[in-house]
Structure formats: structure tokens, C-alpha cells
Amino acid sequence: MRKEVAGLKILVVGRGGREHAICKKLNESVLVEKVFCAPGNAGIAEDAELVNIDEMDFAGLADFAERQDIELTVIGPENPLAAGIVDYFQQRGLAVFGPNRKAAQLESSKSFAKELMKKYQIPTASYAVFEEYEEAKAYIVQHGAPIVLKADGLAAGKGVTVAMTLEEALSALEEMLLNQKFGEASSKLVIEEYLQGEEYSLMAFVQGEKVYPMVAAQDHKRAYDGDKGPNTGGMGAYSPVPHLPADIVEQSVREILEPCAKAMVKEGCPFTGVIFAGLMMTKQGPKTIEFNARFGDPETQVVLPRLESDLAQVFLDVLAGKDPQLKWKEEAVLGVVLASEGYPGSYQKGVPIKGLDEIEQATVYHAGTIRSEKGAICSDGGRVLLVAASGASVEAAQQQVYREMKKLDQPGFFYRKDIGARAIARFSF
Ligand code: AMP
Ligand code: GLY
């Protein structure tokens, strides 16, 4: 019925919850005939045809795209982008959505991003870059705690230490510069001012100087309730963020995202794709914590379900330099991550997940799952899956998600019980 219009074949590259959300949304498109995902996971298999090719096997992916007459390839994760997958596809004449290697530096080099922000006066924490241990130590001692240390390169979201004491800062410094905790990625460090305020995430489709913002979301980075415990890749998220000032998205676009897109053009590396801004609402206004050169995870799983417009059309329009239509649903969406016991430290893999079939009034986005030989869905990572529900308010969505999450209560897994609490507490005052 709905597939007769254009018959597009799209390949999504990646294997996480973000890619699951992109595949699901593309399936709603009237333009799309078939979605492939490489390499995907056990849950994505329900929404796309899995292709067993690694994200970093550029030649293998491009060969597949050619052979199958794929009209568009969408890149999910940062590693292939940083390694130049887009440049490679373009050289082979294949349509691909994402920034090239040079533009992906916005994420792959924190010092590149910081220098860009300084040069173009984009609000961010004040900072300095170091490669020498003694110089970095002197800077930390001079500035005192709290202070933030960041590995320059990609470190799977784990290269940041927010040090509340001098001792913590010095021990993190030793780990990164002397002990090379993150290898090459931490041979260079950004040390920056600690920002205080409300954190939020804002993604935008970007084509050169043009910026088309999505709706804002809030992530929960710490492992345990009450924002306690170690930093993770994200334990849950929701959108909208009702306790942010109403004009904050507009201000963030005007003061941060648009100047960033313009700066990339001026620097000779125009950006095409999605820019993710991790932002802090401080007393002086919004400031940038980080830029990513791709959709965020888990933010995408709560933002894309709110998109009323056709995502495939949006990708095509952005690539063609046309203004995409972005219409958003009024509803709230909230998602909670089911994680393996022990994450973000060591954990077991291959544990069967019970209760998935009973989830009815929510959407499950798989991140680290695998189907066993007997056909059971088993864990295959630290963040296993995310359960998302929609509602008329963040509170309604939260209640719905937690009703469903109860069905997943079992040994070997855990989840935070307070996703969305900050929004709801403020709401009811
Ligand atoms: P990042 O990987 O850069 O997103 O950093 C991980 C987390 O560390 C962020 O989500 C923030 O909560 C925190 N963080 C990073 N930089 C700062 C900063 N300058 N001030 C306060 N918190 C920060
Ligand atoms: N949630 C932040 C990220 O995707 O890096």
C-alpha cells in the first residue's frame, strides 16, 4: 500500500540502539522499500535485513551498496566517520549521509573542537591543551578543583574525568598522560573549567551553513540513581526537557550550532550530517560541553519517535541542499536502558533476557543483544537495550515505561529507576 512511491533501498551502518531507532523510523517512510543494517543486532533484525559486514570494512560495505543498488547509506557511529568512511563512499560515487573525515574532527579531536570554539567565540568552558605531564600538573595545581580532564581522541565516551578534588585530578592526569590509559587517544589532553548548570542535548541536521534543529533531550550519564556512580554511555533519556527555558533551543542554535556550522565552512571543512551538541545551561547562558559528528545515543531513541516528517525525505533533502521539513509530535518520549550487572565495569555476556515478549505498550531498541543458537535473545554488551514509551507528558511517559520495565526485572541486569525525575520534580512545583 504505502511502498509504491519511490522504492528506495537504504543501508544503515552500526549496531546499537541509535541505529535501531533510525531503521525503525525509515520503515515508516513511504519512500523506502527496504532497509538493510550492517552489522546490526538481534533486535534490529526485526526491522531491517542484517548484513554481516563490520562498520570499519569500508570496501565491503561499498561493494554491498553497489551490488544491491543501495540509493543511500546512513552512518551511525563515530569510528567509521573519523576514519573517513564518507570520503571512501564518495570516491566510489555512492550517496552517503554523514560528515567526511575532516569534518568529523569536530568529534574525533577535542582540541580541534575547542580551538574552533575559541577562534569563533562559541561559548564553552575555558581550557588548555597539554602533552607534557609537568606542564599539565602545574596548570591543574594553579587552577585547583573542580576541574575537567578530557582525552583528546575518541575513547567511547569514557575519556572524561570530572575531578571534584585536586587529588582526583592529579591521579586522572597520571593515568592518561603517564600510563596512556586510552592509548594514543590520551597522549594529548584538554583540561578545562568545570561548568555548573542543567545539561541537555541538542541535535541538528546540518548542510554547510544551514542548521535544522531537532527537539532537545536530556541524557542520564551516571550509572546509578540520583546521578551517582561512574559515567556510562547513557542510562536513559527523554524529550522534551520541560524545565529548560522556552527559548533555549533557539538561543543554542543562534549562539552555538549556527556559528559552529559557519566556522566549519570557513575552516574549509563544511559539515554534512548531524551535529550533536552536549550543552550546559549555565548562569551566563548555554555553553558547549562537546560536539559529536553524528546522532547521539540514547538521545536518538527518544527524539526520532517524535519526528512526524519522513526521515528518508529529510536525509535526501539535506544531501541535496534543500530545506527539509521537520515536524514534531507534541508528545513526550522517555527511554530507560537495561544494562548488564557490573556495567560500566566488567560484566557477563550471553545471559538470556526474559520478559521481552511481554512488552506491549512500549518500543524496545536493542543495543547489545545477540540471538543464541536456540533462538533466545541474549545480552551481548554493557548497555543491552532501551525501552521507550510516549505519553502526554514526561511523567506519563515515565509511568508507562516503568510499568513495562518491571517485566524485565531479573538477575544479571539493572536499570535506573529515576529517569526523567529532574523534569518531573520541577514540573510539579
Ligand atoms: P563528554 O564525554 O565530553 O560528554 O563528558 C561526559 C560528561 O562529563 C558530560 O556529560 C558532563 O556531564 C561532564 N562534563 C564534561 N565536561 C564538563 C565540564 N566542563 N564541566 C562540567 N561537567 C562536564
Ligand atoms: N549521548 C551522548 C553521545 O551519543 O555521545
Side-chain angles (χ1 to χ4, degrees):
M1 328 158 294
R2 59 185 177 89
K3 296 279 161 93
E4 68 270 347
V5 187
L8 279 183
K9 289 201 260 180
I10 302 194
L11 170 64
V12 176
V13 174
R15 63 176 84 203
R18 162 185 52 213
E19 288 76 24
H20 198 176
I22 294 170
C23 288
K24 264 193 196 295
K25 199 66 195 178
L26 286 174
N27 271 327
E28 291 174 15
S29 167
V30 293
L31 304 177
V32 173
E33 179 188 313
K34 186 151 187 177
V35 181
F36 296 89
C37 185
N41 62 41
I44 296 177
E46 305 287 318
D47 295 284
E49 184 172 321
L50 298 193
V51 185
N52 190 17
I53 305 174
D54 191 82
E55 297 92 324
M56 301 304 283
D57 179 3
F58 299 171
L61 292 166
D63 287 346
F64 176 83
E66 258 171 20
R67 215 167 45 237
Q68 294 284 335
D69 294 323
I70 300 284
E71 276 99 350
L72 174 66
T73 300
V74 179
I75 313 298
E78 61 273 26
N79 286 328
L81 291 170
I85 193 171
V86 168
D87 312 61
Y88 183 81
F89 267 62
Q90 285 172 345
Q91 275 159 25
R92 290 193 45 177
L94 294 163
V96 58
F97 184 84
N100 64 17
R101 192 186 55 80
K102 227 171 143 192
Q105 281 183 97
L106 197 55
E107 171 169 12
S108 64
S109 168
K110 294 221 188 261
S111 56
F112 172 88
K114 292 299 285 192
E115 274 150 30
L116 188 88
M117 287 189 268
K118 190 174 182 181
K119 184 167 171 190
Y120 294 90
Q121 287 152 23
I122 298 168
T124 188
S126 63
Y127 77 104
V129 182
F130 297 95
E131 290 177 60
E132 298 297 329
Y133 174 77
E134 288 301 333
E135 285 173 20
K137 186 175 171 186
Y139 182 89
I140 291 174
V141 170
Q142 185 200 341
H143 285 80
I147 194 161
V148 180
L149 289 81
K150 300 185 173 185
D152 183 60
L154 295 179
K158 298 183 183 99
V160 174
T161 300
V162 180
M164 299 313 286
T165 65
L166 192 60
E167 206 183 355
E168 234 182 300
L170 293 175
S171 105
L173 175 67
E174 225 179 283
E175 280 295 309
M176 293 208 239
L177 270 192
L178 295 184
N179 302 340
Q180 297 271 309
K181 186 171 181 188
F182 301 105
E184 188 54 29
S186 67
S187 62
K188 197 166 166 187
L189 277 191
V190 168
I191 302 184
E192 68 177 32
E193 167 200 7
Y194 172 76
L195 297 175
Q196 215 160 5
E198 190 70 21
E199 221 178 310
Y200 59 105
S201 308
L202 184 62
M203 299 187 277
F205 294 96
V206 175
Q207 160 67 45
E209 295 194 351
K210 296 269 187 66
V211 169
Y212 308 98
M214 301 184 216
V215 286
Q218 190 166 54
D219 189 6
H220 298 60
K221 297 232 176 191
R222 299 298 188 110
Y224 313 130
D225 286 3
D227 290 329
K228 303 248 162 48
N231 258 316
T232 70
M235 295 299 291
Y238 60 93
S239 173
V241 191
H243 54 291
L244 286 176
D247 59 355
I248 193 78
V249 167
E250 223 174 278
Q251 195 184 352
S252 311
V253 171
R254 202 173 54 239
E255 295 177 5
I256 292 172
L257 282 165
E258 282 178 354
C260 174
K262 286 203 175 100
M264 294 296 281
V265 172
K266 283 225 175 79
E267 292 297 304
C269 41
F271 194 100
T272 300
V274 169
I275 295 183
F276 169 111
L279 302 169
M280 189 78 91
M281 178 67 217
T282 71
K283 288 209 175 85
Q284 298 91 42
K287 289 194 181 182
T288 314
I289 294 175
E290 64 164 349
F291 286 124
N292 294 328
R294 51 167 175 85
F295 282 102
D297 193 329
E299 286 88 343
T300 301
Q301 295 90 304
V302 298
V303 167
L304 281 189
R306 296 188 59 206
L307 180 65
E308 217 168 272
S309 315
D310 185 317
L311 182 61
Q313 187 70 60
V314 173
F315 286 143
L316 295 177
D317 286 345
V318 171
L319 282 180
K322 291 190 210 151
D323 292 345
Q325 198 194 40
L326 292 177
K327 241 182 118 195
W328 300 95
K329 299 176 194 166
E330 282 299 321
E331 64 182 24
V333 177
L334 185 139
V336 176
V337 168
L338 182 78
S340 300
E341 197 71 59
Y343 174 78
S346 60
Y347 52 84
Q348 242 188 311
K349 283 188 187 178
V351 182
I353 308 156
K354 296 195 195 83
L356 280 175
D357 292 344
E358 290 160 44
I359 295 193
E360 282 158 354
Q361 307 292 330
T363 308
V364 181
Y365 296 100
H366 289 239
T369 65
I370 192 165
R371 202 174 272 281
S372 72
E373 278 174 21
K374 288 182 191 154
I377 301 266
C378 297
S379 64
D380 193 38
R383 290 189 303 161
V384 177
L385 52 84
L386 173 141
V387 178
S390 57
S393 63
V394 172
E395 192 165 13
Q398 186 201 48
Q399 284 170 0
Q400 183 55 32
V401 172
Y402 281 115
R403 264 197 294 276
E404 299 285 346
M405 282 309 279
K406 277 209 182 76
K407 301 171 183 169
L408 300 179
D409 282 339
Q410 58 200 295
F413 300 96
F414 77 102
Y415 57 90
R416 276 183 62 162
K417 307 285 194 300
D418 65 344
I419 303 300
R422 293 171 72 82
I424 292 159
R426 315 254 171 139
F427 231 14
S428 51
F429 285 152

